[in-house]
Amino acid sequence: MEDDRETVCSLCAVGCRLAPGAEGSRAVGREGPVNTGGRLCRKGIHALERIPDDERLTTPLVRRDGSLEPASWTAAYDRVVSGIERAVERHGPDALAFLGAPHSTTEENYLLGKLARTLGTNNVDNRARLCHVSSARALSDRLGWPASTNGLADLRDAAVILVVGANPAERQPIAFNSYVRPAVNAGATLIHVDPVGNETTRLADVHLAPRPDTDGLVLDLLCAAVLDAGGVDRSFVEARTSGTDQFVDELAALDRAAFAEAAGVEQDAVERVAEAISDADGVASIVGTGIETDEREPSAADSLLNLLLLTGNVGRPGAGLHLFRGLSNEQGATDAGCVPDRLPGHQPLDDPEARTRIEREWGVAPPETPGRTAHELLAAFGQEIHCALVVGENPGVSKRDPDWIGDRLGGLDTLAVVELTESETTRHADVVLPAAAAAEKRGTMTNFDRRIQPLQPVREPPESVRTDFEILRTIGAEFGEFAYDNPGDAFAELCAVAPPYRGIEYPEPGEQGARWPAGSGRVLYREAFRTPDGRAPLVSPAHRPESTPGSRGPRRG
Ligand SMILES: Nc1nc2c(c(=O)[nH]1)N[C@H]1C(S)=C(S)[C@@H](COP(=O)(O)OP(=O)(O)OC[C@H]3O[C@@H](n4cnc5c(=O)[nH]c(N)nc54)[C@H](O)[C@@H]3O)O[C@H]1N2
Ligand SMILES: Nc1nc2c(c(=O)[nH]1)N[C@H]1C(S)=C(S)[C@@H](COP(=O)(O)OP(=O)(O)OC[C@H]3O[C@@H](n4cnc5c(=O)[nH]c(N)nc54)[C@H](O)[C@@H]3O)O[C@H]1N2
Ligand code: SF4
Ligand SMILES: [Mo]
């Protein structure tokens, strides 16, 4: 008999709906707001497979005399709580680190962020920072929100789709096959900017292959060529952007030959792409991890945003910048405030109204000094950071150089890890708390087109594991106000403190789920940007050829 319980696929941030299949192991797709028609990708059909019993953590572990030994939940919680207390007593709250939780629900991330702040630190971050930091920052600083400007369905209506540093054909297959492929089949032009090329390139009409790390140059060149091709949307630029005159002057003065040579692209090819963009009614761009540059200001994502703004392709249907995030709930983790420099709902740490709202709900004011980012936290492990709680993340493998990470993790006084299985990270832990997986719990996740979708348990967890929610609620109750009956209570509190979630109902299983900000629909910024003057700034094309020779090979995950 087919199961009528459905949940959300936890394997990537597209957010497809699925249910257990008749045989129990393979999942079947369910018609959802993203996977219309109920399609799943090859990965998704395995999303509900059980982790084999001998790999699953089923009991808490506590380190005694150097080795991890089975322990009761009470003993494990005591060890976490005493580790936190010891670090705070000896070194103050900024000796704590909280690393979460793009695999966990939005409510779980909310509790993790609240726990950090209740204890007096903003040292809380999630993996989204490492994958998409510069594109999210460009979006947030210049338009208003660190999120895709348009819904996935807008890709179907675009005349040009410009993919930069991403491989959605393999990485987000349902988004690609349901939205990009049909648009291209109906005549849209697909342009792929990627030094190497990949499965996505196979469908592309044009492949621009610049040297790694030179996207900024190519995108600045495209802006300059759009000026010549008559592609500037003058009325949009006049009404909706700022800094235009200086920007246009700088573009006109670009040494195009030098830019093209440094990037390793032909000027002719760039001009042809600029013409396609200029002639198109609707240009949508997709970005992935390949566009991320090392700490450079402004980033390649800034140049891409210049191009979209110059051509009037933001704030309207069939256009926009689509941030193709990776892990299932990166967006929700960030929305819920699991970041060191923003309160829940992307509110600045020093926003007095935000602080008042939060203090009213939490009974404590969050600290005002920004915390450290995930990478800074890891670098300070064993030095300024003495106790870390890691939820659903595996820094032991994810952040390159395993020896360096191993030393950092080993340098902590207390490392507590909430996990499904043993990992490179649990190996260094002092306490391991066995957790329930996405398929075994309730709560919400927010996909990369801002849609808040409900999870529900579609299988039983092993008897002795607990959800991240239950674990964080129990630890939190030692230090503050964490009296939630269920994730719905935490969601309601998030909506009370976070304006973009205000007015959104907790979605029940089977419901579509709303997009944030409430009432926004598919297209953000139709009337104005969420900036102090309502305009989006055009920023200088500061990429200089001499600053960018391809100093590294193509980026890998
Ligand atoms: N099957 C599967 N799907 C996944 C994942 C998975 O592990 N497996 N992981 C998920 C996660 S967490 C993420 S973050 C996403 C990642 O999704 P993507 O970012 O789409 O992933 P990659 O395959 O790394 O593609 C990045 C592309 O960027 C290119 N690139 C490298 N350097 C540069 C550069 O300087 N400029 C440009 N323009 N391109 C460059 C590379 O050649 C590569 O083709 O995928 C998600 N989906
Ligand atoms: N070799 C290689 N390295 C990579 C990449 C790659 O493609 N290849 N991709 C890179 C990228 S883009 C990313 S984003 C990172 C991802 O790196 P991480 O963020 O570390 O993500 P994962 O390894 O997917 O998952 C981390 C852990 O979360 C646990 N987990 C899953 N669901 C839950 C849950 O509900 N609760 C709890 N408590 N735990 C849970 C899993 O058991 C897993 O051990 O890896 C990066 N590193
Ligand atoms: S595209 Fe992503 S969310 Fe959809 S089925 Fe595949 S892995 Fe799951
Ligand atoms: Mo990622």
Side-chain angles (χ1 to χ4, degrees):
M1 213 186 75
E2 201 172 292
D3 204 312
D4 61 2
R5 295 167 301 173
E6 69 168 44
T7 189
V8 179
C9 178
S10 62
L11 297 186
C12 91
V14 174
C16 301
R17 297 280 177 95
L18 43 66
E23 298 300 312
S25 77
R26 286 211 164 170
V28 293
R30 282 292 169 77
E31 168 104 24
V34 182
N35 61 334
T36 51
R39 301 173 75 186
L40 295 180
C41 75
R42 273 182 307 187
K43 199 160 80 138
I45 59 176
H46 300 293
L48 301 179
E49 265 169 26
R50 275 183 189 283
I51 299 169
D53 287 349
D54 57 345
E55 288 175 30
R56 188 76 190 254
L57 287 166
T58 53
T59 178
L61 305 173
V62 171
R63 190 170 295 279
R64 290 195 193 97
D65 302 326
S67 63
L68 282 169
E69 305 285 347
S72 68
W73 275 97
T74 310
Y77 282 137
D78 282 352
R79 181 71 174 264
V80 178
V81 169
S82 63
I84 291 174
E85 285 171 346
R86 193 163 54 238
V88 174
E89 270 162 31
R90 291 191 189 157
H91 311 281
D94 287 332
L96 303 173
F98 297 85
L99 288 180
H103 288 288
S104 303
T105 65
T106 299
E107 296 73 25
E108 289 161 348
N109 281 284
Y110 177 70
L111 294 201
L112 189 67
K114 179 174 174 179
L115 175 61
R117 277 137 186 164
T118 299
L119 284 159
T121 184
N122 282 311
N123 283 342
V124 55
D125 206 358
N126 81 82
R127 190 57 172 68
R129 167 165 316 277
L130 289 126
C131 293
H132 307 286
V133 62
S134 74
S135 0
R137 189 204 47 73
L139 283 160
S140 149
D141 288 359
R142 294 175 59 194
L143 309 185
W145 302 112
S148 296
T149 63
N150 289 59
L152 273 166
D154 279 277
L155 292 168
R156 273 198 204 131
D157 301 331
V160 166
I161 301 177
L162 175 63
V163 178
V164 188
N167 185 10
E170 277 184 290
R171 301 306 216 150
Q172 292 94 353
I174 295 300
F176 188 81
N177 289 326
S178 306
Y179 299 96
V180 177
R181 195 180 290 279
V184 173
N185 289 343
T189 303
L190 180 65
I191 299 161
H192 195 207
V193 183
D194 195 298
V196 183
N198 52 42
E199 190 63 23
T200 302
T201 324
R202 291 157 62 101
L203 192 70
D205 299 284
V206 185
H207 177 204
L208 279 182
R211 295 200 174 94
D213 241 355
T214 63
D215 299 275
L217 299 177
V218 175
L219 292 158
D220 290 348
L221 275 175
L222 277 170
C223 287
V226 156
L227 286 184
D228 298 347
V232 177
D233 182 339
R234 293 196 185 282
S235 60
F236 179 88
V237 166
E238 208 164 287
R240 305 283 309 269
T241 68
S242 60
T244 320
D245 293 345
Q246 190 189 342
F247 176 69
V248 170
D249 288 349
E250 285 179 3
L251 277 186
L254 281 191
D255 181 346
R256 298 192 198 184
F259 271 53
E261 198 191 322
V265 293
E266 298 291 331
Q267 282 198 66
D268 284 1
V270 172
E271 279 158 21
R272 281 198 301 277
V273 171
E275 276 160 26
I277 288 173
S278 300
D279 294 345
D281 180 19
V283 178
S285 187
I286 293 172
V287 294
T289 56
I291 198 176
E292 293 294 317
T293 45
D294 304 320
E295 310 291 314
R296 190 161 319 131
E297 298 261 352
S299 63
D302 278 304
S303 297
L304 178 56
L305 215 41
N306 285 340
L307 179 65
L308 293 172
L309 288 166
L310 196 63
T311 53
N313 280 301
V314 188
R316 54 170 285 196
L321 184 56
H322 297 251
L323 177 51
F324 269 36
R325 291 182 180 274
L327 302 174
S328 56
N329 198 29
E330 280 182 29
Q331 187 67 54
T334 306
D335 298 346
C338 205
V339 287
D341 55 348
R342 286 281 188 275
L343 296 169
H346 313 290
Q347 303 174 95
L349 292 171
D350 59 1
D351 176 339
E353 287 175 24
R355 300 181 63 78
T356 308
R357 272 192 293 271
I358 287 174
E359 194 171 350
R360 201 163 51 219
E361 293 292 332
W362 295 3
V364 289
E368 258 180 288
T369 341
R372 297 175 195 242
T373 64
H375 193 81
E376 291 166 349
L377 286 170
L378 279 168
F381 276 12
Q383 286 154 28
E384 292 86 5
I385 303 293
H386 297 278
C387 172
L389 175 62
V390 175
V391 182
E393 217 205 332
N394 188 7
V397 285
S398 17
K399 279 92 192 185
R400 312 210 168 108
D401 194 352
D403 293 338
W404 181 80
I405 301 283
D407 289 347
R408 302 267 66 76
L409 293 172
L412 291 167
D413 176 55
T414 304
L415 171 62
V417 181
V418 188
E419 250 300 349
L420 312 183
T421 60
E422 283 183 19
S423 71
E424 291 77 355
T425 307
T426 60
R427 215 167 286 156
H428 298 274
D430 301 288
V431 195
V432 179
L433 303 166
E440 300 157 355
K441 63 189 178 187
R442 282 182 203 287
T444 67
M445 290 200 180
T446 302
N447 78 344
F448 69 60
D449 82 350
R450 293 180 281 112
R451 190 179 291 280
I452 299 159
Q453 303 200 87
L455 304 187
Q456 70 171 316
V458 295
R459 66 163 193 242
E460 290 293 318
E463 205 179 322
S464 50
V465 311
R466 302 194 177 165
T467 58
D468 298 328
F469 189 82
E470 168 65 27
I471 291 167
L472 292 167
R473 175 174 68 177
T474 306
I475 298 171
E478 296 289 327
F479 303 104
E481 183 52 58
F482 281 73
Y484 308 100
D485 282 340
N486 52 52
D489 287 353
F491 186 86
E493 190 178 293
L494 169 63
C495 295
V497 302
Y501 275 57
R502 190 181 296 151
I504 293 178
E505 297 280 329
Y506 184 72
E508 294 300 331
E511 290 178 358
Q512 288 277 301
R515 283 202 176 86
W516 69 261
S520 62
R522 242 162 70 184
V523 184
L524 290 177
Y525 321 118
R526 281 179 189 264
E527 308 292 330
F529 294 101
R530 197 177 149 271
T531 52
D533 62 1
R535 289 167 177 267
L538 289 161
V539 301
S540 292
H543 305 277
R544 297 289 173 246
E546 60 274 17
S547 71
T548 340
S551 53
R552 62 164 179 82
R555 190 176 299 274
R556 299 249 7 114

